[in-house]
Amino acid sequence: MKKYILITFLSISSMGFTQDKVESVMTLSEYLGYVKNYHPIVKQANLVINKSEAKLLKARGAFDPKIEVDFDKKQFKEKEYYNKLNAAFKIPTYYGIEFKANFENNEGVYLNPEASVPTDGLYSAGVAVSLLKGLLINKRMASLKQAKFFINQAKEEQQILVNEILYNASISYFNWLKTYNEKRVYQEFLKNAEIRFKATKRAFFEGEKPAIDTTEAKINLNTRKLNVEKSRIKFVKSSLELSNFLWLKNNTPVELQDNIIPETKTVNTINSTFKIALFNTANFDINKHPKIKSLGFKIESLTIDKNLKLNNLLPKLDVQYNFLTQNRNQFNSLNTQNYKAGINFKLPLFLRKERGDLKLAKIKLSDQKFENEVVKISIKNKINAIQQELDSYILQNTLTENIVADYTTLLKAEDRKFFLGESSLFLVNYREVKLIETRLKAIDLENSFLKTKANLFKTVVLTIAE
């Protein structure tokens, strides 16, 4: 990998370098490893987790201890109407219980009698509890639980996003490989056309071939040159497309060097690269699929929301009890003789809002469960279809290889007969065109096979070899 990082840097700094370069192979594994480490979209996928972690931190903030100070003073015509200070320290807990310590100091000419406290102030310590609605589950508790599920869900979604970009990068690599192989085929047969043109031209000067044969040989040679140029342009375009996925560590895009070529035997290493050599549909656990796990966490989150809405049907019954003392240094001064207590009860008569919220929460939960089942079946069927497609490609590849071998044998035999003067240039060209078509079909078939392997990688959401 470091070798190719260096090569990529050289592609920027050596634009004036015109000396012939030695070809260097970039394997699929090295290429995908580079994409996985430096592509901006992969980095963007990591932000999904960071965002969920920020939401979790925000949800935990609802349980942070709080200091509250309330100061109110009124002065008019040189009279202090009132001077009120109320300071409190509150500790909310996971359940509907809140601990509170309070200091109150009030004075003034027109102070409300119920606000009168000892000269040194009044201290209190107590607890507030929600006995019905909000005891076992409340909005703060639900938000915290959901935030934890969101983190797990974000991790699964991140894996799916990363695999999606790796899949797209793989398709670009396979197209690059395809155009490279096609260029090699046309270059190979261009050499044959040059040899035949020279031989036909020599035979014409020696009186063994008519002039029309040289014209036919020249047409064939120019056709091969045209095919080579077209394949070269296709290879350049696929190289530029591949470069879209190549970035430096500092988020700088780079262009692939001309001397970098794909691995021609990628078909032999793709299983190990995608780690699907031992993949077995029968042993595949659909419940471990990131998409299903993500939907599972979403269902858990909606279940919490439903439980919260169900809890809202209960009456609100909040009670609080505070011990009062004017001496904060003596703990035994806190007793049941001096206290401040309260009860708050509330119950809507028809509960239409609460019942409506609960019904909507149940509908969302049921809808998500249905979607989960549909996605399971869809993934299973897609994997099964891909496996059958791969099996078919293996059979097609075997047949295509046999056809290529037979056409090669026919061309060699016809070529020998041509140089012995027992065959025509037309028959040789005909055999050669058929061989070229078959080899291009073999390249196209290999490309489809590789893309289907990548599709399996994306569908199952596997990992790549580091």
Side-chain angles (χ1 to χ4, degrees):
M1 175 59 67
K2 290 182 178 180
K3 175 177 71 172
Y4 292 107
I5 295 176
L6 177 61
I7 290 173
T8 315
F9 273 104
L10 290 176
S11 68
I12 299 175
S13 60
S14 59
M15 292 183 179
F17 187 73
T18 58
Q19 185 179 352
D20 292 338
K21 302 174 185 178
V22 178
E23 289 185 341
S24 184
V25 176
M26 180 169 66
T27 67
L28 176 63
S29 177
E30 292 167 328
Y31 166 68
L32 291 181
Y34 193 52
V35 173
K36 188 175 181 180
N37 287 327
Y38 299 114
H39 197 281
I41 295 182
V42 176
K43 295 180 180 179
Q44 186 180 11
N46 295 328
L47 296 179
V48 175
I49 296 180
N50 295 337
K51 184 178 180 180
S52 298
E53 289 176 342
K55 288 183 176 179
L56 177 60
L57 182 64
K58 180 180 178 181
R60 284 176 172 161
F63 299 94
D64 288 345
K66 298 178 179 65
I67 296 178
E68 298 179 358
V69 178
D70 184 13
F71 179 74
D72 197 9
K73 181 177 181 177
K74 182 178 179 180
Q75 185 88 17
F76 184 67
K77 291 184 178 180
E78 299 182 355
K79 288 184 180 181
E80 186 180 59
Y81 277 56
Y82 56 80
N83 188 331
K84 297 186 291 185
L85 173 65
N86 194 325
F89 177 67
K90 299 178 181 179
I91 304 177
T93 62
Y94 188 69
Y95 294 98
I97 303 173
E98 183 177 76
F99 296 99
K100 178 181 178 181
N102 189 78
F103 172 71
E104 188 176 1
N105 194 358
N106 307 319
E107 57 185 6
V109 177
Y110 298 105
L111 185 69
N112 192 321
E114 74 169 17
S116 298
V117 295
T119 305
D120 294 332
L122 185 66
Y123 298 89
S124 65
V127 60
V129 183
S130 298
L131 295 179
L132 294 176
K133 178 181 176 181
L135 176 62
L136 298 180
I137 185 169
N138 51 59
K139 190 173 182 180
R140 291 183 303 186
M141 186 192 307
S143 297
L144 181 58
K145 285 184 176 180
Q146 288 175 329
K148 291 179 179 178
F149 284 126
F150 286 153
I151 283 190
N152 293 327
Q153 183 181 348
K155 289 179 180 178
E156 303 302 331
E157 291 178 351
Q158 183 228 22
Q159 187 176 355
I160 294 173
L161 288 172
V162 170
N163 275 45
E164 180 72 26
I165 189 65
L166 292 176
Y167 166 77
N168 293 331
S170 300
I171 298 302
S172 292
Y173 185 93
F174 299 148
N175 289 334
W176 183 47
L177 173 63
K178 177 186 176 183
T179 56
Y180 175 74
N181 286 332
E182 288 175 345
K183 183 165 73 81
R184 289 175 62 203
V185 168
Y186 284 123
Q187 287 174 338
E188 176 185 338
F189 286 99
L190 173 61
K191 294 178 181 177
N192 294 341
E194 290 174 343
I195 293 173
R196 290 195 196 98
F197 175 70
K198 291 178 181 178
T200 304
K201 191 175 181 180
R202 184 171 58 251
F204 164 73
F205 286 123
E206 293 176 356
E208 297 178 359
K209 296 284 183 181
I212 194 66
D213 281 1
T214 60
T215 302
E216 184 174 357
K218 185 178 180 182
I219 291 174
N220 185 57
L221 175 61
N222 288 333
T223 300
R224 297 291 177 266
K225 288 181 179 179
L226 180 62
N227 290 336
V228 168
E229 180 60 20
K230 287 182 177 180
S231 64
R232 186 189 69 81
I233 292 299
K234 288 176 64 177
F235 179 67
V236 170
K237 290 175 65 178
S238 64
S239 299
L240 292 175
E241 181 184 347
L242 188 80
S243 298
N244 292 335
F245 296 92
L246 293 175
W247 296 73
L248 296 178
K249 191 173 182 180
N250 59 352
N251 296 329
T252 303
V254 296
E255 186 175 331
L256 197 68
Q257 261 193 310
D258 294 337
N259 66 315
I260 305 299
I261 61 174
E263 183 185 20
T264 56
K265 299 298 181 181
T266 299
V267 69
N268 297 331
T269 60
I270 187 169
N271 281 348
S272 58
T273 299
F274 287 152
K275 295 185 180 179
I276 55 179
L278 302 178
F279 176 75
N280 189 339
T281 308
N283 297 331
F284 175 64
D285 186 359
I286 189 67
N287 292 316
K288 293 183 179 180
H289 191 280
K291 182 63 176 179
I292 302 302
K293 291 172 70 176
S294 176
L295 291 175
F297 290 126
K298 192 172 183 180
I299 289 174
E300 293 286 351
S301 178
L302 290 175
T303 301
I304 292 173
D305 186 62
K306 185 207 71 172
N307 293 337
L308 178 62
K309 298 298 189 295
L310 181 62
N311 183 263
N312 288 340
L313 294 177
L314 296 175
K316 180 180 179 182
L317 179 59
D318 295 343
V319 299
Q320 61 173 321
Y321 188 91
N322 297 277
F323 296 99
L324 302 178
T325 180
Q326 62 182 10
N327 191 344
R328 61 185 175 85
N329 296 322
Q330 295 181 5
F331 183 77
N332 58 4
S333 64
L334 296 173
N335 56 65
T336 57
Q337 294 178 354
N338 301 315
Y339 67 89
K340 181 181 178 182
I343 297 178
N344 185 305
F345 179 82
K346 182 167 62 174
L347 174 64
L349 293 180
F350 300 110
L351 294 170
R352 284 181 289 196
K353 178 181 181 301
E354 290 75 9
R355 287 189 288 117
D357 287 341
L358 177 60
K359 189 173 182 179
L360 290 173
K362 287 182 177 180
I363 291 173
K364 288 182 181 179
L365 181 58
S366 298
D367 181 68
Q368 194 62 55
K369 288 181 178 179
F370 289 141
E371 181 183 351
N372 189 46
E373 294 303 318
V374 170
V375 172
K376 280 185 180 180
I377 296 298
S378 176
I379 293 175
K380 287 180 180 179
N381 290 339
K382 189 173 183 179
I383 291 174
N384 186 36
I386 291 174
Q387 290 284 36
Q388 294 189 39
E389 191 176 2
L390 289 173
D391 293 340
S392 176
Y393 279 137
I394 292 174
L395 176 60
Q396 292 179 51
N397 184 61
T398 302
L399 295 173
T400 304
E401 286 179 352
N402 293 334
I403 295 173
V404 169
D406 291 340
Y407 270 124
T408 302
T409 302
L410 286 175
L411 177 60
K412 287 181 179 178
E414 204 68 48
D415 213 22
R416 283 196 299 268
K417 290 169 65 178
F418 170 74
F419 282 104
L420 292 174
E422 299 176 1
S423 180
S424 65
L425 187 61
F426 173 79
L427 285 175
V428 173
N429 289 339
Y430 175 79
R431 301 289 190 198
E432 189 175 71
V433 168
K434 286 297 181 181
L435 177 57
I436 292 174
E437 290 178 353
T438 308
R439 287 187 60 176
L440 292 178
K441 287 180 180 178
I443 293 173
D444 188 64
L445 182 63
E446 180 186 81
N447 181 259
S448 298
F449 176 77
L450 293 173
K451 287 182 177 179
T452 305
K453 283 282 189 180
N455 195 16
L456 178 62
F457 159 78
K458 184 184 73 167
T459 303
V460 182
V461 194
L462 297 166
T463 56
I464 65 170
E466 297 295 341

